[in-house]
Amino acid sequence: MMKKSLFLGALTVAGLAAAAASAATLDDVKARGKLNCGVTTGLAGFAAPDANGVWEGFDVAVCRAVAAAVLGDPMAVEFVTTTGQTRFTALAAGEIDMLARNTTWTFSRDTDLKFEFVGVNYYDGQGFMVPKGLGVASAKDLDGATVCIQTGTTTELNLADFFRTNNISYEPVPIETNAEAQQQYLAGACDVYTTDASGLAATRATFENPGDHIILPEIISKEPLGPLVRHGDNEWGDIARWTLNALIAAEELGITSANVAELSAGPTNNPEINRVLGTEGELGAMIRLDPDWAKRAIMAGGNYGEIFEKNIGENTPIGLARGLNAQWMDGGLLYSPPFR
Ligand SMILES: N[C@@H](CCC(=O)N[C@@H](CS)C(=O)NCC(=O)O)C(=O)O
């Protein structure tokens, strides 16, 4: 008897441990009524609180779309700020349900840190910014420069690779956040600031005199930035992945924040639009959501193109062109798998 209950006890503990490791994040989020979404400490256009303290931006929009899909409310998000150093422990420890923070999809983050990148929301690469007055035209002219660099990032590693390959040297000035980098760089504590090119554009846009600084022509790495979740909860990963895909597919299919209500009023003559919007098929049920999940995600901030234009596009101070982030039929890399 004793033996039996001990045995059962051990099983229960093992069962609990397994449940924690592959916890049903969807159920946790529903029970909590809020999505805990990890973001940066602040990067204009990508994730930053507005004048009223409401978070907005290109990465924030992914969190809001997932909250809309899962909870029916794009505002049901608790934004948890993370630095380059703290983001992965926050996700691994369950402090956040997902991370949407200009984070590069790499081999070791996937396999060794055991995360699941659910897609790419911005194809980027690492660049360099210098004051115009420095008179430098190429990153190869940076021998001996002091470089502001965020710790815990791919940026750090690429920088070392680039200088080594070109047989030149640099002195790193390690910093923790983008705000600190900006402050140090403007104070002249470093000659150069290096990070993802999108981050450079976002940072420069907030300068008093952006024109006094140039972004050098070299892009020294591939930085596919995307949202990620923990390994081991495929159901939750699927929800995050297909919410991002719904935003991308919506742009391809011409579903916008302006017409989504009308297009979802009843089946249209485009079956894929109908499947995305839940007026045909059972896609929502396959990810344990209701038929309107993608409609709500699109209503949260528009399709991928609308989110891009509003937050970081050419008509914003950040001024980024679509480039690689154009749809595949426009010569870019954005390509949602089929909704079927
Ligand atoms: N993509 C790189 C770099 C990410 C990164 O930390 N970028 C900086 C500069 S764009 C940032 O987001 N800073 C915001 C913050 O300090 O919270 C990585 O995943 O390691």
Side-chain angles (χ1 to χ4, degrees):
M1 187 64 212
M2 177 95 169
K3 249 188 181 163
K4 195 176 173 194
S5 60
L6 268 180
F7 180 67
L8 281 175
L11 257 188
T12 312
V13 170
L16 277 178
S22 63
T25 309
L26 174 62
D27 294 328
D28 292 348
V29 171
K30 280 185 175 164
R32 200 190 300 129
K34 268 200 170 185
L35 172 74
N36 292 337
C37 205
V39 289
T40 60
T41 58
L43 185 65
F46 285 85
D50 72 6
N52 300 314
V54 179
W55 283 83
E56 59 177 9
F58 183 77
D59 285 334
V60 162
V62 176
C63 306
R64 295 215 185 277
V66 171
V70 172
L71 298 168
D73 178 3
M75 302 310 279
V77 185
E78 186 74 41
F79 289 97
V80 178
T81 58
T82 64
T83 67
Q85 294 281 16
T86 64
R87 58 185 155 173
F88 298 124
T89 38
L91 182 58
E95 287 162 29
I96 51 179
D97 305 307
M98 61 184 282
L99 181 68
R101 184 202 182 281
N102 49 34
T103 294
T104 307
W105 185 348
T106 70
F107 184 103
S108 56
R109 288 171 178 178
D110 182 345
T111 61
D112 191 33
L113 297 186
K114 300 190 167 24
F115 295 126
E116 180 91 358
F117 285 83
V118 301
V120 174
N121 70 332
Y122 193 95
Y123 288 93
D124 208 348
Q126 183 174 336
F128 298 90
M129 175 165 62
V130 293
K132 244 184 195 156
L134 204 64
V136 167
S138 159
K140 292 183 181 155
D141 300 336
L142 291 174
D143 194 13
T146 48
V147 186
C148 275
I149 179 122
Q150 261 181 264
T151 49
T153 60
T154 49
T155 324
E156 241 183 335
L157 311 171
N158 299 326
L159 182 71
D161 286 359
F162 177 78
F163 276 72
R164 191 170 126 195
T165 307
N166 288 286
N167 212 10
I168 51 178
S169 69
Y170 66 100
E171 201 181 308
V173 179
I175 41 97
E176 179 89 44
T177 66
N178 195 61
E180 195 192 332
Q182 171 162 341
Q183 195 186 350
Q184 297 282 352
Y185 169 81
L186 288 175
C190 48
D191 303 316
V192 191
Y193 182 33
T194 183
T195 187
D196 300 338
S198 65
L200 291 180
T203 305
R204 185 171 67 164
T206 65
F207 288 180
E208 220 165 283
N209 299 307
D212 292 351
H213 303 267
I214 56 166
I215 292 171
L216 298 177
E218 286 88 356
I219 295 293
I220 65 163
S221 67
K222 288 190 292 187
E223 306 294 327
L225 311 175
L228 54 149
V229 297
R230 284 176 291 279
H231 262 185
D233 188 348
N234 297 59
E235 179 187 49
W236 179 244
D238 286 347
I239 288 173
R241 171 178 302 106
W242 286 96
T243 301
L244 176 61
N245 283 335
L247 302 178
I248 295 171
E251 181 179 33
E252 176 180 344
L253 295 167
I255 308 170
T256 69
S257 52
N259 66 17
V260 63
E262 188 192 324
L263 290 176
S264 52
T268 69
N269 60 9
N270 181 328
E272 190 162 21
I273 290 181
N274 301 342
R275 287 191 294 270
V276 170
L277 296 178
T279 55
E280 203 175 306
E282 300 289 333
L283 298 191
M286 294 178 195
I287 52 172
R288 279 216 288 145
L289 298 179
D290 63 75
D292 286 344
W293 67 281
K295 172 190 169 187
R296 288 193 303 269
I298 297 161
M299 284 180 120
N303 65 35
Y304 178 91
E306 292 179 275
I307 292 168
F308 191 104
E309 291 316 326
K310 174 171 184 268
N311 294 294
I312 56 174
E314 287 183 302
N315 296 321
T316 69
I318 321 288
L320 293 168
R322 286 293 291 268
L324 290 177
N325 298 295
Q327 292 279 341
W328 63 280
M329 64 283 187
D330 300 328
L333 296 178
L334 286 196
Y335 183 105
S336 168
F339 275 73
R340 111 145 39 252

